[in-house]
Amino acid sequence: YHCENCPQSYPNCIHRYIFSATVSDDTTTSWVSVFDDQAKQLLDGVTADDMHKLYSEDPEQSAYNGHFMKATFTDWIFTCKVKQEMYDNETRIKTSIHSIHPVDYAQEGRS
């Protein structure tokens, strides 16, 4: 792997997560960007290197897809970072997950 920032080549790389996801509550649905630390929590601690290995070793990718399906329709508390940007004279809102925590129903019930 070649790094363009420090013009050096390396025998291997460290994979990191970056993907878009849909999150929703009772009122709306939003697209968010998910980065490495938050994705590892969402996917039960599975690293991007492990997911890459699952993706490349299994032709049907059932284990790979299974990790994402397990995270589907689960309850979390997200802290999001939202910013407004201009692109082609159009205002766009970008949302990324800053932190993620499992829902503590007992604590939430006391609030």
Side-chain angles (χ1 to χ4, degrees):
Y1 296 93
H2 183 74
C3 176
E4 293 181 11
N5 290 336
C6 63
Q8 293 185 13
S9 294
Y10 299 95
N12 53 14
C13 71
I14 298 171
H15 294 91
R16 295 179 60 82
Y17 289 111
I18 180 170
F19 59 87
S20 295
T22 304
V23 297
S24 61
D25 64 7
D26 294 336
T27 60
T28 190
T29 300
S30 296
W31 280 96
V32 296
S33 297
V34 183
F35 297 100
D36 196 57
D37 292 337
Q38 293 77 26
K40 281 192 270 189
Q41 284 184 283
L42 189 62
L43 298 171
D44 286 334
V46 179
T47 65
D49 283 329
D50 294 339
M51 287 292 266
H52 177 71
K53 191 180 295 183
L54 288 173
Y55 184 83
S56 59
E57 290 176 355
D58 182 12
E60 294 181 18
Q61 299 164 348
S62 56
Y64 172 82
N65 290 329
H67 285 290
F68 286 102
M69 292 305 295
K70 187 177 177 185
T72 303
F73 298 111
T74 55
D75 295 330
W76 297 88
I77 296 176
F78 295 112
T79 304
C80 296
K81 180 176 152 183
V82 181
K83 62 182 178 178
Q84 183 175 328
E85 294 182 346
M86 291 292 288
Y87 181 77
D88 284 340
N89 291 327
E90 184 179 317
T91 303
R92 293 187 179 184
I93 296 175
K94 290 184 119 181
T95 306
S96 59
I97 296 176
H98 181 68
S99 67
I100 179 174
H101 305 286
V103 176
D104 180 357
Y105 291 103
Q107 178 63 32
E108 293 295 319
R110 287 186 220 119
S111 302

